[in-house]
């Protein structure tokens, strides 16, 4: 008898995911997956997989190529049983992989906290990695640099080899031996250098015989003159083996000293392979993290059977389903035509639930999975020929087991409950089983063709119908799950499609009892009405979407229009402000003239100029108020001024603290500067400035009396650049403090030297947004306009 995991084909999912692994370690982990027993462990694992999904989606790669399963080799540390070169190289590769992961800066706590926490546990062994790189070359052979003794042995052996080759070549080049040798060849037999000669000339050359060729045409002779040198080379080979053994033993001992760290690293690397493979699979199938809940409930929104992703070439062919179980009802009865998708949906629910409780992601737009502690299934027909168990008996055996062990935390999935026997008895038995399982508060999904179960689901409060949609016109299943409606089997209609005799079909309809026939007609009518209703709902939704789009478009246009109006008004205000600045500048010139001839000027003319100055000031204030009105910033007046309170200065656009309160002014400190201002210039700190309000740390104290009495134009005509520079800098400071957006520097045209030096100086001033020559009507190149 198959287990629920086998019937739901959980093994196939394990196999599919394991194909993404880089090692047998990762595959082993995946193939032993089972539901976890603690919700915290489930959420921790799924969170780490999701972390890895995001890591991969951002273009990162976890390279575990060559990761080896060395777990069984750790026992040999206890028995002091040194490793062979291939075995040691397995450890070397794992150490290299672990070190690379540990030193990979892309695993950071901010973006990938779960991966970072895992990688952080890796023990770094740079010293061991360096030793391995000094010992082995890219061909996995031991380098000469592995030890001084090995280098010396190999050097001497090379020297001895050169000598022996020289002696043998001398023999081959001697006239008396040319006729008895084959192609002047030097070869090796038993690790000794020899010369092949013709078998009939064996006595011509004195030496030791080392056998003959397969054909017997030649004999391998070791001339006496090279026997001693060959012995020396053999001895050096033996000494080389001893030295290599000593080197490997040294590496073995170093690995043994770090075996605890290495074993922990191996566990982490296995998990990394698991997370990498699982994440890559769920990137490909667009998996999501399910919400695992304590109460045993199910909710799937647009879920898809995960195995279908590899079975079907086009993902669009997979029809998603949405269902809920355990909240309003505990049992779902799915009906509909054969091959309509009932069993696939049944398996998908069980498989996705198991995957979620294993800490994996699920193939759904959204999912809530209850903490089920047991699963029971009766899906495949397991008629046993050996035990002569009938189909119905096989079902009974499984159902007996379900009834004996099910509880409120059980998820039960039964395919075609009550089949395999008389329909009347089967229906009665199926209903009795469902009622008992509902008394046990188990959650279950049942598929059926039995009409009585459809009626039962309609009448019982804790049971709900569902059906697989069927296209009656095309006579094709649509594989869409509709919860709330029972489904028709369409057996006779499908038979008619396949040209069954009308006589037979007519007789079949006569035989069907009236209640079943009426129910069939009722289900067809219900399905037609449901399809019509769905079409109307769809049309209604589409119209609503169009209306929403139009409404949003109108609202957006209103917002845009409001912005355009504000922008236009601001431009006009800026232009008016600039004209007033120009007028104010001219007025200042008049005041200078008045001072020079104050005695001769009539009092009326003096008063008219003063009045004009007051008018300009009033206009400037009015412009400021109008700018406030079109600003998006909403300022709240301060009800009570208290020393130490954080406040916002409107004109300076700064946040500061009240330092002192006097009768005529308030002193605030902000960014290391002290400002004296009026009470109505400061407001409560706006929301968009609250974050910066706690970052004030005064370092330098500079006192400035904020006043609105400076002109909008500075006249530096006739000054040298050295005289003008401090005045320009001070003037800009004052203008910024007064929240001026634009000022003018009057330098005149003249030779252009003062203008060029001033503009060169302004290029490096960070307080300026821009500067440029004034329009021709306002002074042209003799005036520079500064935007602050």
């Amino acid at each position: 008898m198959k287990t629920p995991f086998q019937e739901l084909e959980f093994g196939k999912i394990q196999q599919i995911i394991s194909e993404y692994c880089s090692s047998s370690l990762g595959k082993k982990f995946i193939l032993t997956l089972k539901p976890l027993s603690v919700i915290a462990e489930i959420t921790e694992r799924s969170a780490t997989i999701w972390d890895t999904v995001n890591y991969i989606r951002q273009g990162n790669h976890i390279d575990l190529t060559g990761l080896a399963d060395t777990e069984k080799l750790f026992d040999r540390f206890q028995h002091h049983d040194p490793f062979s070169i291939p075995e040691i190289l397995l450890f070397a590769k794992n150490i290299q992989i672990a070190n690379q992961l540990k030193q990979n800066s892309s695993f950071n706590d901010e973006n990938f906290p779960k991966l970072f926490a895992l990688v952080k546990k890796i023990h770094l062994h740079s010293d061991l990695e360096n030793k391995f790189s000094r010992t082995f070359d890219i061909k996995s052979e031991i380098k000469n640099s592995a030890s001084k003794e090995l280098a010396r042995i190999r050097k001497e052996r090379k020297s001895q080899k050169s000598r022996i080759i020289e002696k043998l070549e001398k023999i081959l080049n001697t006239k008396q031996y040319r006729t008895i040798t084959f192609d002047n060849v030097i070869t090796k037999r038993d690790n000794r250098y020899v010369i092949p000669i013709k078998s009939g000339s064996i006595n011509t050359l004195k030496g030791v015989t080392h056998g003959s060729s397969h054909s017997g045409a030649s004999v391998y002779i070791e001339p006496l003159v090279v026997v001693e040198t060959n012995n020396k080379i053999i001895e050096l080979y033996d000494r080389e083996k001893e030295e290599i053994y000593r080197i490997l033993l040294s590496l073995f001992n170093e690995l043994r000293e770090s075996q605890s760290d290495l074993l922990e690293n191996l566990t982490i690397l296995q998990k990394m392979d698991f997370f990498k493979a699982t994440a890559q699979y769920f990137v490909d199938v667009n998996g999501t993290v399910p919400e695992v809940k304590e109460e045993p409930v199910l909710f799937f929104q647009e879920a898809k059977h995960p195995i279908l992703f590899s079975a079907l070439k086009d993902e669009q062919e997979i029809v998603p389903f949405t269902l809920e179980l355990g909240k309003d009802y505990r049992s779902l009865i799915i009906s509909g035509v054969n091959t309509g998708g009932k069993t696939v949906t049944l398996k998908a629910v069980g498989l996705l639930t198991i995957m979620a409780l294993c800490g994996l992601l699920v193939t759904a737009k959204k999912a809530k999975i209850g903490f089920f502690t047991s699963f029971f299934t009766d899906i495949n027909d397991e008629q046993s020929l050996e035990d002569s168990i009938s189909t119905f008996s096989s079902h009974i055996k499984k159902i007996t087991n379900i009834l004996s062990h099910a509880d409120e935390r059980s998820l039960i999935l039964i395919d075609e409950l009550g089949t395999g026997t008389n329909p009347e008895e089967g229906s009665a038995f199926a209903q009795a089983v469902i009622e008992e399982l509902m008394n046990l508060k188990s959650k279950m999904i049942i598929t059926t063709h039995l009409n009585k179960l459809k009626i039962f689901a309609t009448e019982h409060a804790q049971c709900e119908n569902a059906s697989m949609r069927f296209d009656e016109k095309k006579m094709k299943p649509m594989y869409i799950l509709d919860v709330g409606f029972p489904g028709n089997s369409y057996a006779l209609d499908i038979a008619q499609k396949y040209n069954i005799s009308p006589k037979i079909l007519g007789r079949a309809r006569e035989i069907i009892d009236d209640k079943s026939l009426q129910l069939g007609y009722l289900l067809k009518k219900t399905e037609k009405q449901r399809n019509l209703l769905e079409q109307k709902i769809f049309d209604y939704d589409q119209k609503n979407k169009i209306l929403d789009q139009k409404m949003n478009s109108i609202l957006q246009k209103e917002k845009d229009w409001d912005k355009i109006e504000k922008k236009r008004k601001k431009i006009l205000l800026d232009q008016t402000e600039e004209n007033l600045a120009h007028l104010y500048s001219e007025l200042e010139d008049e005041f200078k003239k008045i001072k020079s001839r104050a005695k001769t000027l009539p009092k009326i003319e003096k008063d008219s100029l003063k009045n004009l100055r007051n008018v300009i000031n009033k206009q400037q204030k009015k412009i400021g108020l109008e700018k406030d009105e079109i600003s998006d910033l909403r300022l709240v007046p301060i009800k009570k001024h208290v020393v130490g309170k954080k406040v916002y200065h409107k004109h300076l656009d700064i946040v500061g603290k009240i330092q002192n309160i006097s009768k005529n002014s308030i002193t605030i400190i902000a960014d290391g500067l002290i400002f004296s201002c009026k009470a109505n210039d400061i407001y409560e700190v706006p929301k968009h400035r609250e974050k910066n309000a706690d970052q004030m740390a005064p370092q330098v104290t500079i006192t400035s009396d904020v006043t609105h009495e400076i002109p909008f134009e500075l006249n530096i005509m006739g000054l040298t650049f050295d005289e003008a520079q401090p005045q320009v800098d001070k003037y800009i400071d004052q203008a910024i403090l007064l929240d001026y957006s634009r000022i003018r520097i009057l330098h005149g045209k003249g030779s252009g030297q003062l203008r060029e030096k001033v503009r060169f100086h302004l290029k490096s001033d960070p307080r300026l947004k821009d500067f440029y020559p004034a329009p021709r009507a306002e002074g042209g190149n003799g005036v520079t306009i500064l935007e602050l």
Side-chain angles (χ1 to χ4, degrees):
M1 186 182 294
K2 288 184 178 180
T3 66
F5 286 73
Q6 290 171 326
E7 286 194 336
L8 296 172
E9 299 179 298
F10 182 62
K12 284 188 178 180
I13 281 294
Q14 290 173 297
Q15 191 62 44
I16 291 168
I17 297 175
S18 70
E19 295 301 318
Y20 288 84
C21 287
S22 298
S23 70
S24 59
L25 272 173
K27 290 184 179 182
K28 186 193 300 183
F29 193 98
I30 290 169
L31 295 176
T32 56
L33 278 176
K34 60 182 180 179
L36 296 167
S37 56
V38 181
I39 291 181
E41 293 179 2
I42 296 171
T43 53
E44 177 68 18
R45 181 180 287 176
S46 62
T48 308
I49 294 173
W50 186 246
D51 222 20
T52 316
V53 166
N54 291 327
Y55 184 80
I56 292 170
R57 281 178 174 165
Q58 291 186 26
N60 298 301
H61 176 62
I62 301 174
D63 188 3
L64 299 172
T65 307
L67 178 61
D69 184 0
T70 57
E71 188 176 2
K72 293 180 180 179
L73 295 176
F74 279 85
D75 289 339
R76 291 180 37 196
F77 285 125
Q78 315 307 320
H79 301 94
H80 300 275
D81 183 9
F83 302 136
S84 64
I85 289 178
E87 289 169 337
I88 277 190
L89 287 171
L90 296 179
F91 280 91
K93 186 60 181 177
N94 285 0
I95 289 170
Q96 181 190 22
I97 293 170
N99 288 348
Q100 286 176 347
L101 289 174
K102 181 74 173 180
Q103 295 168 328
N104 189 340
S105 60
S106 64
F107 297 113
N108 58 76
D109 191 28
E110 183 179 355
N111 297 324
F112 312 106
K114 299 298 180 182
L115 274 179
F116 175 78
L118 185 62
V119 172
K120 189 178 179 182
K121 296 177 183 177
I122 292 176
H123 300 279
L124 187 65
H125 289 289
S126 300
D127 52 342
L128 273 173
E129 184 179 359
N130 292 335
K131 189 160 187 178
F132 279 120
S133 66
R134 289 195 304 269
T135 303
F136 297 98
D137 60 20
I138 57 173
K139 295 180 180 179
S140 301
E141 296 177 354
I142 296 181
K143 296 178 180 178
N144 292 344
S145 58
S147 76
K148 292 181 179 179
E149 178 63 16
L150 183 64
R152 193 191 64 78
I153 291 170
R154 287 180 173 175
K155 184 179 180 181
E156 186 178 351
R157 193 183 69 206
K158 186 177 180 182
S159 175
Q160 295 293 340
K161 178 184 174 182
S162 297
R163 290 179 189 174
I164 203 169
I165 295 298
E166 185 181 347
K167 290 179 180 179
L168 291 174
E169 285 179 344
K170 189 176 181 180
I171 293 172
L172 290 172
N173 291 328
T174 304
K175 284 184 180 181
Q176 68 183 93
Y177 299 122
R178 284 178 184 173
T179 56
I180 65 170
T181 59
F182 285 96
D183 300 325
N184 290 344
V185 173
I186 299 172
T187 186
K188 288 178 75 175
R189 283 293 180 272
D190 303 323
N191 284 329
R192 303 179 78 85
Y193 290 94
V194 295
I195 298 173
I197 64 172
K198 296 175 182 177
S199 56
S201 307
I202 190 170
N203 296 322
T204 307
L205 180 64
K206 293 182 179 180
V208 180
T209 303
H210 290 278
S212 59
S213 63
H214 291 295
S215 63
S218 60
V219 178
Y220 300 103
I221 299 295
E222 178 187 5
L224 292 178
V225 293
V226 298
V227 169
E228 185 179 348
T229 311
N230 261 331
N231 289 341
K232 184 67 174 176
I233 290 174
I234 294 296
E235 180 189 344
L236 290 169
Y237 269 120
D238 292 338
R239 285 166 59 187
E240 181 187 34
K241 288 179 183 178
E242 291 173 2
E243 181 59 18
I244 288 173
Y245 178 81
R246 188 196 66 77
I247 292 168
L248 295 178
L249 183 61
S250 174
L251 288 172
F252 173 82
N253 288 331
E254 288 198 44
L255 290 172
R256 186 176 61 182
E257 289 174 7
S258 302
Q259 62 177 300
S260 177
D261 288 356
L262 297 175
L263 191 56
E264 287 178 21
N265 281 359
L266 190 67
T267 302
I268 294 169
L269 293 176
Q270 182 182 37
K271 289 180 179 179
M272 286 295 290
D273 198 14
F274 160 71
F275 287 124
K276 182 211 71 165
T278 310
Q280 188 60 65
Y281 168 72
F282 286 111
V283 166
D284 290 349
V285 299
N286 198 26
T288 55
V289 180
E291 180 184 349
V292 179
K293 303 177 73 66
E294 177 64 34
E295 58 272 22
V297 295
L298 286 179
F299 170 72
F300 290 106
Q301 181 181 353
E302 295 184 25
K304 296 180 179 181
H305 196 305
I307 295 176
L308 293 180
F309 282 90
S310 57
L312 298 175
K313 293 181 180 180
D314 186 3
E315 183 186 333
Q316 300 302 318
E317 294 179 30
I318 308 173
V319 181
F321 65 88
T322 297
L323 64 77
E324 192 169 5
L325 187 68
K327 185 180 178 182
D328 297 327
Y329 46 86
R330 293 196 290 269
S331 178
L332 189 67
I333 309 294
I334 304 177
S335 52
V337 299
N338 280 323
T339 68
K342 299 191 300 295
T343 305
V344 171
T345 303
L346 192 73
K347 285 185 174 183
V349 170
L351 185 54
L352 291 173
T353 302
I354 290 174
M355 288 168 65
L357 296 181
C358 287
L360 303 179
L361 306 191
V362 294
T363 48
K365 185 177 181 180
K366 189 177 181 181
K368 294 180 183 179
I369 312 293
F371 190 57
F372 293 96
T373 56
S374 59
F375 300 88
F376 298 98
T377 58
D378 181 13
I379 296 175
N380 293 327
D381 182 7
E382 292 190 22
Q383 182 173 342
S384 171
L385 297 176
E386 291 181 7
D387 299 330
S388 299
I389 300 176
S390 69
T391 303
F392 186 71
S393 298
S394 174
H395 288 311
I396 293 297
K397 190 175 180 181
K398 286 185 177 181
I399 288 167
T400 301
N401 178 59
I402 293 171
L403 292 169
S404 301
H405 298 94
D407 58 28
E408 62 181 6
R409 288 196 174 275
S410 298
L411 178 61
I412 300 164
L413 307 169
I414 303 177
D415 195 21
E416 301 295 347
L417 178 61
T419 57
T421 187
N422 176 279
E424 282 293 320
E425 293 182 359
S427 296
F429 174 75
Q431 181 175 327
V433 169
I434 293 171
E435 288 176 348
E436 179 60 23
L437 290 174
M438 289 171 71
N439 290 335
L440 294 171
K441 297 183 179 180
S442 299
K443 312 303 179 292
M444 75 192 92
I445 301 178
I446 312 291
T447 68
T448 187
H449 285 288
L450 300 173
N451 287 336
K452 287 191 175 181
L453 292 188
K454 302 172 191 177
I455 296 169
F456 170 77
T458 304
E459 296 173 344
H460 201 290
Q462 285 297 319
C463 197
E464 181 60 274
N465 269 304
S467 61
M468 303 307 299
R469 195 177 301 181
F470 186 77
D471 189 329
E472 190 177 354
K473 291 181 180 179
K474 297 180 180 178
M475 297 305 289
K476 287 184 178 181
M478 299 172 70
Y479 308 108
I480 298 172
L481 179 71
D482 289 316
V483 177
F485 301 94
N488 196 356
S489 297
Y490 288 96
L492 297 182
D493 298 280
I494 293 171
Q496 185 176 352
K497 178 190 174 184
Y498 286 97
N499 300 318
I500 295 294
S501 166
K503 181 180 178 182
I504 294 175
L505 291 172
R507 177 58 183 154
R509 288 190 172 93
E510 290 176 3
I511 295 171
I512 298 174
D513 63 83
D514 289 342
K515 287 184 179 179
S516 296
L517 198 61
Q518 288 173 7
L519 180 60
Y521 287 136
L522 180 61
L523 291 176
K524 284 185 183 180
K525 186 177 180 181
T526 302
E527 190 160 355
K528 285 180 180 178
Q529 290 175 340
R530 182 190 66 206
N531 291 337
L532 183 63
L533 180 61
E534 284 186 353
Q535 185 60 47
K536 287 183 178 180
I537 291 172
F538 176 79
D539 294 341
Y540 176 78
D541 288 341
Q542 290 299 105
K543 288 177 181 178
N544 271 353
K545 285 179 182 177
I546 293 170
L547 286 174
D548 286 343
Q549 289 172 358
K550 288 182 178 179
M551 182 61 71
N552 290 334
S553 177
I554 291 170
L555 292 173
Q556 187 60 46
K557 284 178 180 177
E558 286 182 359
K559 289 180 182 178
D560 292 343
W561 180 253
D562 188 45
K563 287 179 182 178
I564 291 167
E565 282 298 299
K566 285 183 178 181
K567 190 174 181 180
R568 285 177 179 173
K569 193 171 182 180
K570 188 176 184 304
I571 291 170
L572 289 172
L573 289 172
D574 287 343
Q575 288 174 348
T576 305
E577 194 173 43
E578 187 176 337
N579 292 334
L580 284 172
H582 186 63
L583 183 59
Y584 200 97
S585 175
E586 293 178 352
L587 190 62
E588 285 296 310
D589 290 340
E590 290 298 322
F591 268 108
K592 288 179 183 177
K593 293 176 183 178
I594 289 171
K595 287 180 182 179
S596 64
R597 51 192 182 94
K599 293 180 180 179
T600 60
L601 193 69
K603 186 176 183 302
I604 296 173
E605 192 173 344
K606 292 179 184 177
D607 291 341
S608 64
L609 287 172
K610 286 182 180 179
N611 290 336
L612 183 57
R613 193 176 189 180
N614 291 333
V615 169
I616 292 174
N617 282 331
K618 286 179 182 179
Q619 288 299 319
Q620 287 174 334
K621 288 180 180 179
K622 186 179 179 182
I623 289 171
L625 291 171
E626 290 188 23
K627 280 188 173 181
D628 288 343
E629 287 179 7
I630 63 173
S631 172
D632 293 329
L633 186 65
R634 295 291 172 258
L635 298 177
V636 179
I638 297 172
K639 293 181 180 179
K640 188 176 181 181
H641 296 85
V642 182
V643 173
K645 180 179 177 63
K646 293 174 186 174
V647 295
Y648 174 72
H649 195 296
K650 169 186 167 185
H651 299 298
L652 304 181
D653 189 30
I654 58 172
V655 175
K657 281 185 180 179
I658 296 177
Q659 191 182 48
N660 185 41
I661 302 172
S662 64
K663 187 176 181 181
N664 299 320
S665 66
I666 293 175
T667 304
I668 67 170
I669 183 168
D671 298 329
L673 303 176
I674 295 176
F675 305 96
S676 178
C677 56
K678 296 177 182 179
N680 58 4
D681 285 339
I682 57 176
Y683 296 83
E684 295 286 350
V685 180
K687 288 184 178 180
H688 79 287
R689 297 300 303 272
E690 284 177 351
K691 290 183 179 179
N692 299 328
D694 295 324
Q695 300 177 2
M696 297 176 295
Q699 298 174 352
V700 181
T701 302
I702 302 172
T703 303
S704 174
D705 293 323
V706 180
T707 171
H708 293 272
E709 295 302 319
I710 73 161
F712 286 89
E713 183 176 89
L714 175 67
N715 188 345
I716 57 171
M717 289 178 64
L719 302 179
T720 65
F721 174 70
D722 292 336
E723 293 170 338
Q725 181 187 339
Q727 290 190 32
V728 171
D729 290 341
K730 183 179 179 182
Y731 179 61
I732 293 172
D733 280 335
Q734 291 175 323
I736 288 172
L737 291 175
L738 293 173
D739 199 28
Y740 288 1
S741 61
R742 186 184 288 107
I743 56 176
R744 292 158 52 94
I745 304 293
L746 177 60
H747 41 66
K749 296 179 181 179
S751 65
Q753 290 186 9
L754 179 60
R755 176 189 66 216
E756 295 305 317
K757 287 183 179 180
V758 167
R759 289 181 180 175
F760 183 79
H761 175 65
L762 295 176
K763 283 183 180 179
S764 59
D765 195 326
R767 298 169 297 175
L768 303 184
K769 185 192 296 182
D770 195 10
F771 65 88
Y772 43 83
R776 183 179 297 177
E778 297 179 16
N781 220 13
V783 177
T784 298
I785 295 176
L786 282 61
E787 290 188 4
L788 305 179

